[in-house]
């Protein structure tokens, strides 16, 4: 059960990372512009994988008792015990899932018509909030939950978060540079 839980969580996170990276990459290199239209489908699949992650958790670990999201279960003893980090990580994950649901729900042409293009773009561009929630939730379970247990995803996670950080700063620096050059020309 735990392997399925982790697999769905890892795939969901990978899809989120790819979706987030497409924007900065397309602004840095025109070769990536063709992938902009894929973000919608990747985001929807990210939501589906996150939902399956939560389903497997509820089915196999929480036994459909929501209190277990707040009060952790010691896997060795099966006893309930309060862990503030576990509780906070699950709350952050829950908020992230709700936000991901909202983004997936409006990822269609009908929503663009109903909301208007500018409003729809505004909501979709707030996916950085979702990214931060996903990183915080994942970081807790990779680095702070059950200390001493090695997880091979730790290093790729750190590398990917660093790459996304560098990409976003590269786009920012490039836009500042381009803005200054435009002012000089005018």
């Amino acid at each position: 059960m735990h392997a399925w839980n982790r697999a769905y969580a890892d795939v969901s996170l990978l899809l989120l990372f790819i979706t987030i990276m497409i924007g900065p990459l397309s602004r840095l290199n025109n070769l990536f512009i063709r992938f902009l239209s894929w973000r919608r489908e990747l985001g929807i699949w990210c939501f589906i994988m996150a939902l399956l992650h939560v389903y497997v958790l509820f089915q196999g670990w929480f036994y459909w008792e929501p209190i277990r999201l707040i009060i952790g279960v010691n896997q060795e003893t099966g006893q309930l015990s309060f862990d503030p980090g576990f509780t906070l990580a699950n709350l952050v994950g829950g908020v992230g899932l709700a936000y991901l649901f909202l983004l997936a729900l409006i990822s269609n042409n009908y929503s663009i018509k109903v909301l208007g293009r500018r409003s729809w773009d505004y909501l979709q561009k707030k996916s950085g909030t979702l990214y931060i929630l996903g990183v915080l939730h994942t970081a807790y379970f990779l680095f702070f939950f059950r200390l001493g247990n090695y997880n091979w995803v730790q290093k790729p996670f750190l590398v990917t978060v660093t790459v996304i950080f560098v990409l976003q700063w590269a786009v920012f620096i490039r836009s500042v540079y381009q803005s200054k050059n435009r002012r000089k020309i005018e």
Side-chain angles (χ1 to χ4, degrees):
M1 193 65 65
H2 181 66
W4 283 104
N5 162 45
R6 283 267 317 278
Y8 288 128
D10 292 348
V11 170
S12 178
L13 188 66
L14 178 64
L15 292 171
L16 177 63
F17 283 167
I18 292 169
T19 304
I20 294 293
M21 289 172 71
I22 290 172
L25 285 171
S26 69
R27 293 191 67 190
L28 292 172
N29 189 319
N30 289 338
L31 292 173
F32 292 97
I33 290 175
R34 70 180 90 168
F35 300 113
L36 285 172
S37 63
W38 291 20
R39 291 187 299 183
R40 187 184 293 192
E41 286 80 13
L42 289 171
I44 292 169
W45 279 107
C46 174
F47 170 68
I48 291 169
M49 293 296 115
L51 200 58
L52 287 170
H53 161 63
V54 171
Y55 173 78
V56 169
L57 279 174
F58 268 91
Q59 184 67 28
W61 196 14
F62 297 138
Y63 305 112
W64 299 99
E65 297 173 11
I67 191 69
R68 292 176 179 249
L69 283 167
I70 297 168
I71 299 175
V73 179
N74 185 318
Q75 287 191 332
E76 286 86 33
T77 65
Q79 298 295 319
L80 295 175
S81 60
F82 180 70
D83 176 357
F86 180 82
T87 302
L88 184 59
N90 282 329
L91 290 175
V92 166
V95 170
L97 183 66
Y99 196 74
L100 186 55
F101 172 71
L102 172 69
L103 291 177
L105 188 66
I106 65 168
S107 290
N108 56 67
N109 292 334
Y110 179 74
S111 294
I112 295 172
K113 280 190 241 177
V114 170
L115 296 171
R117 184 62 157 181
R118 288 184 64 178
S119 300
W120 184 85
D121 277 343
Y122 176 81
L123 288 173
Q124 291 291 341
K125 287 182 180 172
K126 296 300 175 188
S127 60
T129 303
L130 173 63
Y131 170 74
I132 291 168
L133 293 170
V135 166
L136 291 173
H137 175 75
T138 304
Y140 174 78
F141 286 105
L142 284 179
F143 297 103
F144 303 107
F145 187 66
R146 285 194 250 141
L147 289 173
N149 289 347
Y150 176 74
N151 186 332
W152 71 271
V153 178
Q154 290 174 332
K155 288 178 185 165
F157 173 80
L158 290 174
V159 168
T160 307
V161 168
T162 304
V163 166
I164 290 172
F165 181 78
V166 168
L167 280 172
Q168 290 177 336
W169 272 99
V171 169
F172 173 73
I173 291 167
R174 183 176 181 184
S175 66
V176 168
Y177 177 75
Q178 288 174 340
S179 177
K180 285 186 176 191
N181 282 344
R182 273 190 233 121
R183 278 191 231 139
K184 286 180 186 178
I185 294 171
E186 293 172 355

